[in-house]
Amino acid sequence: LVESARFVTLTGAGGCGKTRLSLQAAADLLDQYPDGAWFVDLAPLADPELVPQNVAAVFGLKEEAGRPLRHTLAEHLRARHLLILLDNCEHLLTACAQTVDLILRQCPHVTVLATSREALGVSGERTYRVPSLSLPDTRVPQTPESLSQYEAVRLFVERARYHNPEFVVTLQNAPALASVCTHLDGIPLAIELAAAR
C-alpha cells in the first residue's frame, strides 16, 4: 500500500502490532526514500496543539517569531523525498489529520504511514486493518505439533521460553495453551504479557 499511496493508516486494536509493522515496512522501503524515514511518537502527547511541534522537532525545526510552525515544516519538507511514521494517532485524530493534510498538499514527495485504532479520514487515505495472529480452534483436540502452525501459539512459546528456557508444549498443557491464546484474541502484546507470567 505504501508503494501505491502517499498516505496509509494501519488500524487495529491496541497491542496488535501496528507499530512493529510500520517500522518493518519503513525498513523494507528505506531505499526508496533518499531523505530517510522519520519516526514520530505521539503516544506521550495529550495536547492536540502539540502535534505539529512534535513532527517538526523530529526534523530539528523550531518555531520562528511571526511565522507559523506549519509553514516552516512544509517548507522544510517540500523538496525532500522521505517517509514519515506517525505512531499512535488515535487520541489526536483531528490534529493528526490536519498535519497530514498539510504535508500531502504541500510536500509532493513525502509519504506518511500512520498507526491508529481508527482511520484519520484524510482525502486519499488508504487503510489496512492489522489482523490478530492466527489461532487454534479450541473445540478441536490439539497436539504440540498441530499447535505449532498457529502464530499466536508460536509467539507464546517463544516468549515463555525467554522467561523459562525449559518450557515445552506437551499433550497435557496444549489445551490450556490454545485456550489462553484464544481468550487473548491473538493480540501479540497480550500474549507476550501472559507468556511472561
Side-chain angles (χ1 to χ4, degrees):
L1 286 174
V2 175
E3 291 178 324
S4 63
R6 289 190 50 225
F7 178 39
V8 176
T9 302
L10 301 178
T11 63
C16 72
K18 298 180 297 291
T19 299
R20 285 186 187 182
L21 181 57
S22 72
L23 291 170
Q24 186 61 55
D28 292 346
L29 297 168
L30 197 54
D31 291 342
Q32 297 180 29
Y33 297 98
D35 295 309
W38 301 79
F39 184 79
V40 182
D41 183 12
L42 300 173
L45 290 186
D47 183 355
E49 297 294 320
L50 296 178
V51 169
Q53 284 87 339
N54 218 35
V55 175
V58 167
F59 295 101
L61 303 174
K62 298 184 186 324
E63 271 195 76
E64 300 171 15
R67 184 169 195 220
L69 185 58
R70 64 180 194 272
H71 293 312
T72 304
L73 178 61
E75 183 179 302
H76 177 78
L77 297 176
R78 190 166 287 123
R80 288 179 168 71
H81 191 118
L82 54 82
L83 174 65
I84 298 174
L85 303 177
L86 282 183
D87 193 42
N88 294 300
C89 298
E90 55 272 349
H91 62 296
L92 305 160
L93 285 176
T94 301
C96 288
Q98 291 169 346
T99 302
V100 169
D101 185 58
L102 170 80
I103 291 169
L104 294 177
R105 281 187 292 107
Q106 297 194 18
C107 310
H109 306 293
V110 174
T111 299
V112 179
L113 177 58
T115 69
S116 178
R117 292 184 186 173
E118 58 187 285
L120 274 66
V122 173
S123 178
E125 178 181 28
R126 301 273 309 268
T127 60
Y128 177 77
R129 181 153 186 82
V130 178
S132 296
L133 300 176
S134 62
L135 294 166
D137 183 346
T138 55
R139 298 169 296 182
V140 176
Q142 300 289 339
T143 66
E145 294 76 25
S146 67
L147 282 179
S148 68
Q149 68 182 316
Y150 299 102
E151 297 164 327
V153 173
R154 288 197 307 266
L155 177 62
F156 185 100
V157 170
E158 177 186 310
R159 294 303 191 257
R161 284 185 179 149
Y162 175 80
H163 295 284
N164 177 6
E166 295 164 15
F167 178 82
V168 293
V169 182
T170 64
L171 282 173
Q172 291 74 30
N173 69 14
L177 181 54
S179 178
V180 167
C181 291
T182 301
H183 285 310
L184 296 174
D185 295 325
I187 297 174
L189 181 58
I191 290 170
E192 289 183 11
L193 294 172
R197 289 183 171 205

